[in-house]
Amino acid sequence: MKIAFFIGSMARGGAERVLSILANHYIEKGWEVEIVMLLKNKVGYDLADKIKIIDMSGMNNSYLKNAGKWLMRIRGYLRSEKPDCVISFVARINALVLTASVGLKTKIIVSERNDPKHDGRSTVMQAYCDLLYRRSAGIVFQTKYEQSCFSDKVQKRGVVIPNPVSVDIKAKQGGHGVRIVTAGRLAEQKNQKMLIEAVYKISAGFPNLECYIYGEGPLEQFLKDEIDKKGLNKVVFMPGNVKNIHEKISEASVFVMTSNYEGLSNALIEAMMIGVPCITTDYPGACELIIDKQNGKVVPCNDVDALAKALVEILSNITLAKNYAEAAEISASTYNTKVILHKWDSFIEMVSMK
């Protein structure tokens, strides 16, 4: 079996992490695995030596300017390499791969990795994806919410497979003072500014408070300036991307996700699985992970006061924090890597037999 993955790059990110898990899994099964990167020849995750990297980047990041060249290169690859199955990640990449494959018999699975209504795609692109997805071999959605954003014809061709998560560490009880942790790309979508403002509101009540914002991205300097403006330099820290992120999350008193929208947050699932109490904003689909006051806290997007109140509740009540953490850990068991990989195996097998 030869399988080819298409993605923008393999830099550190949610979709890239999932793809790396799948690629390594299929190498272990004895398959031939190739990863085709269209935007950047960058790999931020450990990949098995036998995985072949195909670099189709080398151009600027403009989809419109590069579309013609990409379409020719992708079509040439599909015709010459003849993979048994192609799995494409992210809407715009999906559209390119499906367009390039018109007239070919290649079996292509496309995977949605974000909120179609908020990830920046135009209404034209969404309509084009909805039309193209009907000629795919199958579609993988991360959440029921994502699936609901498409027409009935597309929904019927799809399956919901959450992100695979594997952690080998558990929450560390005490020893780190009062510590808030978040992790994600430093971008408008993740809205870390909301967390900084909430920390500012509660910092006087927690003299030993520390907040760690892990990640890199275009808003790094903006967020550092916000920290400076509020005099939080000794409270809020931005260490960038770290490879031992699970270790860092395990030291948290509470994990916070402040996103305006998400596909399915790996970092939030990881925190739940580690056994850390969690707070999330109520972005579409969040309710598929956290149910308010059952396995964590849910606050309205951009509501700084509500986030500050939720932080105080958890940081001031050890019993409540423990209850949320235990419930979250149980909920997250459904995202165990072995369980999710089995779902991918079954879907690929079903598609291959069509």
Side-chain angles (χ1 to χ4, degrees), residues 3 7 18 51 94 116 119 161 164-165 188 195 242 251 265 312:
I3 188 168
I7 196 167
V18 173
I51 295 174
N94 298 342
D119 67 356
I161 303 180
V165 176
E188 186 176 355
L195 176 58
V242 295
E251 298 170 352
S265 171
V312 171

Side-chain angles (χ1 to χ4, degrees), residues 246-298:
H246 291 171
E247 177 79 22
K248 299 303 182 183
I249 292 174
S250 73
E251 298 170 352
S253 308
V254 60
F255 181 89
V256 180
M257 178 61 60
T258 51
S259 295
N260 296 322
Y261 63 91
E262 282 285 343
L264 187 66
S265 171
N266 292 329
L268 180 55
I269 297 172
E270 288 163 355
M272 293 169 67
M273 193 171 283
I274 289 169
V276 173
C278 298
I279 301 172
T280 181
T281 45
D282 62 348
Y283 60 83
C287 60
E288 295 182 40
L289 288 177
I290 298 290
I291 299 175
D292 189 39
K293 298 180 182 179
Q294 291 189 28
N295 62 345
K297 289 287 295 181
V298 180

Side-chain angles (χ1 to χ4, degrees), residues 9 68 95 148 284:
S9 82
S148 73

Side-chain angles (χ1 to χ4, degrees), residues 135-178:
R135 59 174 303 275
S136 68
I139 307 122
V140 174
F141 301 99
Q142 296 178 101
T143 63
K144 293 177 181 178
Y145 164 75
E146 272 183 6
Q147 189 176 29
S148 73
C149 294
F150 291 84
S151 66
D152 290 341
K153 289 183 178 180
V154 171
Q155 291 185 41
K156 290 176 181 177
R157 299 184 68 82
V159 62
V160 175
I161 303 180
N163 294 345
V165 176
S166 179
V167 299
D168 55 6
I169 191 170
K170 293 300 178 184
K172 299 176 181 177
Q173 304 299 322
H176 297 284
V178 179

Side-chain angles (χ1 to χ4, degrees), residues 319-330:
T319 300
L320 180 65
K322 183 180 179 181
N323 290 342
Y324 284 160
E326 290 176 350
E329 192 172 351
I330 293 171

Side-chain angles (χ1 to χ4, degrees), residues 113-237:
R113 311 307 303 177
N114 216 327
D115 179 346
K117 293 183 178 179
H118 297 91
D119 67 356
R121 74 184 76 175
S122 66
T123 54
V124 173
M125 174 58 73
Q126 175 64 2
Y128 189 55
C129 285
D130 198 278
L131 183 64
L132 277 178
Y133 285 8
R134 301 176 195 186
R135 59 174 303 275
S136 68
I139 307 122
V140 174
F141 301 99
Q142 296 178 101
T143 63
K144 293 177 181 178
Y145 164 75
E146 272 183 6
Q147 189 176 29
S148 73
C149 294
F150 291 84
S151 66
D152 290 341
K153 289 183 178 180
V154 171
Q155 291 185 41
K156 290 176 181 177
R157 299 184 68 82
V159 62
V160 175
I161 303 180
N163 294 345
V165 176
S166 179
V167 299
D168 55 6
I169 191 170
K170 293 300 178 184
K172 299 176 181 177
Q173 304 299 322
H176 297 284
V178 179
R179 182 170 296 190
I180 300 168
V181 169
T182 190
R185 180 169 164 77
L186 306 180
E188 186 176 355
Q189 171 191 352
K190 304 295 184 179
N191 197 12
Q192 289 96 344
K193 181 175 181 288
M194 176 183 176
L195 176 58
I196 293 170
E197 291 177 348
V199 168
Y200 175 74
K201 284 181 172 290
I202 71 169
S203 57
F206 297 91
N208 59 343
L209 177 65
E210 292 180 340
C211 175
Y212 289 84
I213 300 174
Y214 293 98
E216 296 176 353
L219 292 189
E220 180 175 351
Q221 190 56 53
F222 169 78
L223 294 172
K224 287 181 177 179
D225 290 343
E226 289 297 308
I227 293 169
D228 286 339
K229 289 177 185 177
K230 290 181 167 50
L232 294 174
N233 301 83
K234 295 182 179 180
V235 177
V236 182
F237 308 95

